[in-house]
Amino acid sequence: MADRAKILLVDDREENLIALEAILSSLDLVPVRARSGEEALKALLNTDFALILLDVRMPGMDGFETASHIKRRERTRNIPIIFLTVVDSAPDYAFRSYAAGAVDYLTKPFDPWVLRAKVAVFVELYNMNRRLAEQAFMLRDRLASEIPPGEADVQTAVLPELSGRLTAVEEELARVVELARKGGDPNLVGPLSDLSHRLNHLRAGFDALS
């Protein structure tokens, strides 16, 4: 995949956006800035994002309202959201963040390593979902169009190659699961379980062909 994963950074303060970009600069991703909830929603119209880092306190449309709009849209409802806010926020902010659909909630000033580690895992999950979709598409496409019925042996012409590609995805998923386990982040259990289920489903279909 030539395209790097994109992360949407939403904060009304320029210095906060600069700080976030600096923290994430060592990761293989493309940060995209939004200075308001409205700007964030516009960015989400035509661009796919692996993750949204969303400030809670913003003038006009705050983080909770922005997240509500994001989760109502079919195109964006499954994008993970991590809320960011100052340490002296109202005590119910954490509850409201998770109720709004956030996968995590961090208070400022946060540990840069913790944020970078969390973002890295979600980027890995996003990339793995794309690879999994590519493998499924390749399997359908190769079997449907590239090998005419009766002219080639599917097992010898296609399945070994696809098996190797699928095994590589399975190995990468195992690496991501181990990374999440070491990080001790319970919010990753759901996404990882869903991805594992889909990968197992694809493997089962592949094994049936074999």
PDB file of all heavy atoms in Angstrom, residues 23 28 74 88 98 111 124 151 158 166 172 175 177 191 196 199 207:
ATOM      1  N   ILE A  23       4.937  15.032  18.503  1.00  0.00           N
ATOM      2  CA  ILE A  23       4.891  13.761  19.215  1.00  0.00           C
ATOM      3  C   ILE A  23       4.764  12.589  18.251  1.00  0.00           C
ATOM      4  O   ILE A  23       5.373  11.529  18.439  1.00  0.00           O
ATOM      5  CB  ILE A  23       3.714  13.753  20.218  1.00  0.00           C
ATOM      6  CG1 ILE A  23       3.987  14.738  21.369  1.00  0.00           C
ATOM      7  CG2 ILE A  23       3.477  12.349  20.777  1.00  0.00           C
ATOM      8  CD1 ILE A  23       2.791  14.955  22.272  1.00  0.00           C
ATOM      9  N   ASP A  28       4.896   6.396  11.055  1.00  0.00           N
ATOM     10  CA  ASP A  28       4.675   6.407   9.611  1.00  0.00           C
ATOM     11  C   ASP A  28       3.208   6.717   9.329  1.00  0.00           C
ATOM     12  O   ASP A  28       2.401   5.828   9.043  1.00  0.00           O
ATOM     13  CB  ASP A  28       5.071   5.062   9.001  1.00  0.00           C
ATOM     14  CG  ASP A  28       4.998   5.081   7.482  1.00  0.00           C
ATOM     15  OD1 ASP A  28       5.134   6.173   6.890  1.00  0.00           O
ATOM     16  OD2 ASP A  28       4.811   4.005   6.891  1.00  0.00           O
ATOM     17  N   GLU A  74     -22.639   7.302   8.364  1.00  0.00           N
ATOM     18  CA  GLU A  74     -22.294   5.930   7.985  1.00  0.00           C
ATOM     19  C   GLU A  74     -20.823   5.813   7.612  1.00  0.00           C
ATOM     20  O   GLU A  74     -20.155   4.848   7.968  1.00  0.00           O
ATOM     21  CB  GLU A  74     -23.165   5.492   6.797  1.00  0.00           C
ATOM     22  CG  GLU A  74     -22.883   4.084   6.308  1.00  0.00           C
ATOM     23  CD  GLU A  74     -23.302   3.016   7.304  1.00  0.00           C
ATOM     24  OE1 GLU A  74     -24.222   3.280   8.102  1.00  0.00           O
ATOM     25  OE2 GLU A  74     -22.706   1.924   7.267  1.00  0.00           O
ATOM     26  N   ASP A  88      -7.953  19.572  34.569  1.00  0.00           N
ATOM     27  CA  ASP A  88      -8.954  20.101  35.495  1.00  0.00           C
ATOM     28  C   ASP A  88     -10.356  20.112  34.887  1.00  0.00           C
ATOM     29  O   ASP A  88     -11.227  20.873  35.296  1.00  0.00           O
ATOM     30  CB  ASP A  88      -8.588  21.526  35.939  1.00  0.00           C
ATOM     31  CG  ASP A  88      -8.559  22.509  34.771  1.00  0.00           C
ATOM     32  OD1 ASP A  88      -8.534  22.052  33.616  1.00  0.00           O
ATOM     33  OD2 ASP A  88      -8.565  23.726  35.029  1.00  0.00           O
ATOM     34  N   TYR A  98     -16.660   8.466  26.690  1.00  0.00           N
ATOM     35  CA  TYR A  98     -16.958   7.092  26.293  1.00  0.00           C
ATOM     36  C   TYR A  98     -18.398   6.964  25.796  1.00  0.00           C
ATOM     37  O   TYR A  98     -18.674   6.199  24.861  1.00  0.00           O
ATOM     38  CB  TYR A  98     -16.705   6.138  27.455  1.00  0.00           C
ATOM     39  CG  TYR A  98     -15.246   6.017  27.815  1.00  0.00           C
ATOM     40  CD1 TYR A  98     -14.766   6.360  29.073  1.00  0.00           C
ATOM     41  CD2 TYR A  98     -14.329   5.572  26.864  1.00  0.00           C
ATOM     42  CE1 TYR A  98     -13.423   6.269  29.393  1.00  0.00           C
ATOM     43  CE2 TYR A  98     -12.980   5.474  27.172  1.00  0.00           C
ATOM     44  CZ  TYR A  98     -12.533   5.819  28.436  1.00  0.00           C
ATOM     45  OH  TYR A  98     -11.201   5.724  28.735  1.00  0.00           O
ATOM     46  N   ASP A 111       1.524  11.891  28.771  1.00  0.00           N
ATOM     47  CA  ASP A 111       2.832  11.320  28.468  1.00  0.00           C
ATOM     48  C   ASP A 111       2.933  11.120  26.955  1.00  0.00           C
ATOM     49  O   ASP A 111       2.154  10.359  26.375  1.00  0.00           O
ATOM     50  CB  ASP A 111       2.973   9.982  29.192  1.00  0.00           C
ATOM     51  CG  ASP A 111       4.369   9.366  29.036  1.00  0.00           C
ATOM     52  OD1 ASP A 111       5.035   9.658  28.027  1.00  0.00           O
ATOM     53  OD2 ASP A 111       4.770   8.590  29.921  1.00  0.00           O
ATOM     54  N   GLU A 124      -1.699   0.556  13.153  1.00  0.00           N
ATOM     55  CA  GLU A 124      -1.441  -0.827  12.756  1.00  0.00           C
ATOM     56  C   GLU A 124      -2.759  -1.556  12.453  1.00  0.00           C
ATOM     57  O   GLU A 124      -2.874  -2.294  11.470  1.00  0.00           O
ATOM     58  CB  GLU A 124      -0.679  -1.564  13.860  1.00  0.00           C
ATOM     59  CG  GLU A 124       0.773  -1.155  14.019  1.00  0.00           C
ATOM     60  CD  GLU A 124       1.663  -1.857  12.995  1.00  0.00           C
ATOM     61  OE1 GLU A 124       1.137  -2.578  12.126  1.00  0.00           O
ATOM     62  OE2 GLU A 124       2.885  -1.668  13.074  1.00  0.00           O
ATOM     63  N   GLU A 151      -9.222 -24.312 -17.378  1.00  0.00           N
ATOM     64  CA  GLU A 151      -7.961 -24.020 -18.046  1.00  0.00           C
ATOM     65  C   GLU A 151      -6.769 -23.999 -17.105  1.00  0.00           C
ATOM     66  O   GLU A 151      -5.636 -23.911 -17.549  1.00  0.00           O
ATOM     67  CB  GLU A 151      -8.044 -22.666 -18.768  1.00  0.00           C
ATOM     68  CG  GLU A 151      -9.010 -22.677 -19.937  1.00  0.00           C
ATOM     69  CD  GLU A 151      -8.943 -21.402 -20.743  1.00  0.00           C
ATOM     70  OE1 GLU A 151      -7.962 -20.638 -20.537  1.00  0.00           O
ATOM     71  OE2 GLU A 151      -9.848 -21.144 -21.546  1.00  0.00           O
ATOM     72  N   VAL A 158      -2.938 -20.389  -7.950  1.00  0.00           N
ATOM     73  CA  VAL A 158      -3.304 -19.213  -7.159  1.00  0.00           C
ATOM     74  C   VAL A 158      -3.203 -19.426  -5.653  1.00  0.00           C
ATOM     75  O   VAL A 158      -2.664 -18.596  -4.922  1.00  0.00           O
ATOM     76  CB  VAL A 158      -4.749 -18.760  -7.500  1.00  0.00           C
ATOM     77  CG1 VAL A 158      -5.150 -17.561  -6.650  1.00  0.00           C
ATOM     78  CG2 VAL A 158      -4.848 -18.398  -8.975  1.00  0.00           C
ATOM     79  N   LEU A 166      -1.924 -14.348   3.069  1.00  0.00           N
ATOM     80  CA  LEU A 166      -2.803 -14.416   4.225  1.00  0.00           C
ATOM     81  C   LEU A 166      -2.019 -14.751   5.488  1.00  0.00           C
ATOM     82  O   LEU A 166      -2.279 -14.194   6.565  1.00  0.00           O
ATOM     83  CB  LEU A 166      -3.892 -15.461   3.983  1.00  0.00           C
ATOM     84  CG  LEU A 166      -4.997 -15.567   5.041  1.00  0.00           C
ATOM     85  CD1 LEU A 166      -5.685 -14.227   5.240  1.00  0.00           C
ATOM     86  CD2 LEU A 166      -6.012 -16.630   4.633  1.00  0.00           C
ATOM     87  N   GLU A 172       1.226 -10.609  11.218  1.00  0.00           N
ATOM     88  CA  GLU A 172       1.229  -9.204  11.621  1.00  0.00           C
ATOM     89  C   GLU A 172       0.174  -8.943  12.690  1.00  0.00           C
ATOM     90  O   GLU A 172       0.398  -8.182  13.634  1.00  0.00           O
ATOM     91  CB  GLU A 172       0.980  -8.307  10.412  1.00  0.00           C
ATOM     92  CG  GLU A 172       1.147  -6.827  10.724  1.00  0.00           C
ATOM     93  CD  GLU A 172       1.144  -5.976   9.485  1.00  0.00           C
ATOM     94  OE1 GLU A 172       1.051  -6.524   8.381  1.00  0.00           O
ATOM     95  OE2 GLU A 172       1.229  -4.745   9.616  1.00  0.00           O
ATOM     96  N   ARG A 175       1.489  -9.925  15.948  1.00  0.00           N
ATOM     97  CA  ARG A 175       2.423  -8.921  16.470  1.00  0.00           C
ATOM     98  C   ARG A 175       1.683  -7.742  17.086  1.00  0.00           C
ATOM     99  O   ARG A 175       2.058  -7.227  18.149  1.00  0.00           O
ATOM    100  CB  ARG A 175       3.330  -8.424  15.340  1.00  0.00           C
ATOM    101  CG  ARG A 175       4.401  -7.448  15.788  1.00  0.00           C
ATOM    102  CD  ARG A 175       5.341  -7.132  14.644  1.00  0.00           C
ATOM    103  NE  ARG A 175       4.639  -6.476  13.552  1.00  0.00           N
ATOM    104  CZ  ARG A 175       4.389  -5.172  13.528  1.00  0.00           C
ATOM    105  NH1 ARG A 175       4.750  -4.412  14.533  1.00  0.00           N
ATOM    106  NH2 ARG A 175       3.776  -4.632  12.488  1.00  0.00           N
ATOM    107  N   VAL A 177      -1.381  -7.825  18.361  1.00  0.00           N
ATOM    108  CA  VAL A 177      -2.014  -8.315  19.594  1.00  0.00           C
ATOM    109  C   VAL A 177      -1.001  -8.314  20.740  1.00  0.00           C
ATOM    110  O   VAL A 177      -1.312  -7.923  21.861  1.00  0.00           O
ATOM    111  CB  VAL A 177      -2.590  -9.732  19.375  1.00  0.00           C
ATOM    112  CG1 VAL A 177      -3.013 -10.351  20.709  1.00  0.00           C
ATOM    113  CG2 VAL A 177      -3.775  -9.679  18.421  1.00  0.00           C
ATOM    114  N   PRO A 191     -11.615  -3.897  19.027  1.00  0.00           N
ATOM    115  CA  PRO A 191     -11.122  -3.845  17.641  1.00  0.00           C
ATOM    116  C   PRO A 191     -10.283  -5.053  17.257  1.00  0.00           C
ATOM    117  O   PRO A 191     -10.407  -5.567  16.148  1.00  0.00           O
ATOM    118  CB  PRO A 191     -10.281  -2.556  17.630  1.00  0.00           C
ATOM    119  CG  PRO A 191     -10.852  -1.712  18.704  1.00  0.00           C
ATOM    120  CD  PRO A 191     -11.278  -2.672  19.771  1.00  0.00           C
ATOM    121  N   SER A 196      -9.628 -10.132  14.356  1.00  0.00           N
ATOM    122  CA  SER A 196      -9.289 -11.554  14.410  1.00  0.00           C
ATOM    123  C   SER A 196     -10.426 -12.417  13.867  1.00  0.00           C
ATOM    124  O   SER A 196     -10.199 -13.394  13.151  1.00  0.00           O
ATOM    125  CB  SER A 196      -8.976 -11.965  15.852  1.00  0.00           C
ATOM    126  OG  SER A 196      -7.837 -11.291  16.346  1.00  0.00           O
ATOM    127  N   LEU A 199     -10.462 -12.137  10.102  1.00  0.00           N
ATOM    128  CA  LEU A 199      -9.331 -12.862   9.527  1.00  0.00           C
ATOM    129  C   LEU A 199      -9.561 -14.362   9.595  1.00  0.00           C
ATOM    130  O   LEU A 199      -9.264 -15.093   8.641  1.00  0.00           O
ATOM    131  CB  LEU A 199      -8.053 -12.476  10.267  1.00  0.00           C
ATOM    132  CG  LEU A 199      -6.739 -13.043   9.711  1.00  0.00           C
ATOM    133  CD1 LEU A 199      -6.571 -12.629   8.249  1.00  0.00           C
ATOM    134  CD2 LEU A 199      -5.557 -12.561  10.531  1.00  0.00           C
ATOM    135  N   ASP A 207      -9.414 -22.049   3.399  1.00  0.00           N
ATOM    136  CA  ASP A 207      -9.161 -23.471   3.652  1.00  0.00           C
ATOM    137  C   ASP A 207     -10.192 -24.350   2.958  1.00  0.00           C
ATOM    138  O   ASP A 207      -9.894 -25.464   2.512  1.00  0.00           O
ATOM    139  CB  ASP A 207      -9.174 -23.760   5.154  1.00  0.00           C
ATOM    140  CG  ASP A 207      -7.942 -23.161   5.846  1.00  0.00           C
ATOM    141  OD1 ASP A 207      -6.970 -22.831   5.146  1.00  0.00           O
ATOM    142  OD2 ASP A 207      -7.977 -23.020   7.090  1.00  0.00           O
TER     143      ASP A 207
END
